Amino acid sequence: QVQLVESGGGSVQPGGSLRLSCAASGYTYISNCMGWFRQAPGKEREGVAALYTTSGRTYYADSVKGRFTISRDNATNTLYLQMNSLKPEDTAMYFCAAGGNSDVGLPHYYGMDYWGNGTLVTISS
């Protein structure tokens, strides 16, 4: 089992920044893929960024490339998502997820095994 707890969400104006954190505990070594997903009201959950612990490779959705950065602190088992130049369309509930995936690029949400409860990000002027 892997437990994931997100934090860092909030409300900021367009152009602002936020950093999301995901504290992972449990059998984290079984998960090769750690990722961030988001879900806006009425929309399907979508992958935002993913990091593969074995290869170190990272992948991003086209909509966030150049603005978001995924990283991991191995010492504390914490996953981060640095979000810059935020736009109103980034408004969503953001979820941290883990899965024992082979490197398939940005994974679909149904390919992930463990989920946090989410943290809300609201971008509004």
Side-chain angles (χ1 to χ4, degrees):
Q1 289 287 342
V2 176
Q3 294 80 42
L4 304 170
V5 179
E6 303 96 335
S7 61
S11 181
V12 297
Q13 293 185 340
S17 298
L18 283 173
R19 188 176 80 156
L20 305 183
S21 299
C22 172
S25 60
Y27 299 111
T28 56
Y29 62 89
I30 64 176
S31 298
N32 179 43
C33 180
M34 299 288 294
W36 289 97
F37 293 74
R38 66 186 181 187
Q39 188 166 17
K43 293 190 176 181
E44 188 176 71
R45 191 169 297 189
E46 63 173 357
V48 174
L51 182 153
Y52 288 85
T53 56
T54 301
S55 66
R57 292 193 184 99
T58 58
Y59 299 91
Y60 297 92
D62 288 342
S63 58
V64 307
K65 279 181 183 175
R67 300 189 298 122
F68 291 12
T69 302
I70 188 172
S71 62
R72 177 178 175 175
D73 185 332
N74 291 325
T76 62
N77 260 344
T78 304
L79 186 73
Y80 298 102
L81 185 67
Q82 178 67 44
M83 305 187 295
N84 299 328
S85 302
L86 285 160
K87 304 175 181 180
E89 51 264 43
D90 294 318
T91 295
M93 186 71 80
Y94 282 71
F95 298 89
C96 175
N101 311 64
S102 300
D103 191 333
V104 295
L106 193 64
H108 290 286
Y109 69 87
Y110 47 78
M112 307 302 282
D113 301 315
Y114 303 100
W115 293 87
N117 290 327
T119 185
L120 183 62
V121 172
T122 303
I123 312 303
S124 174
S125 55

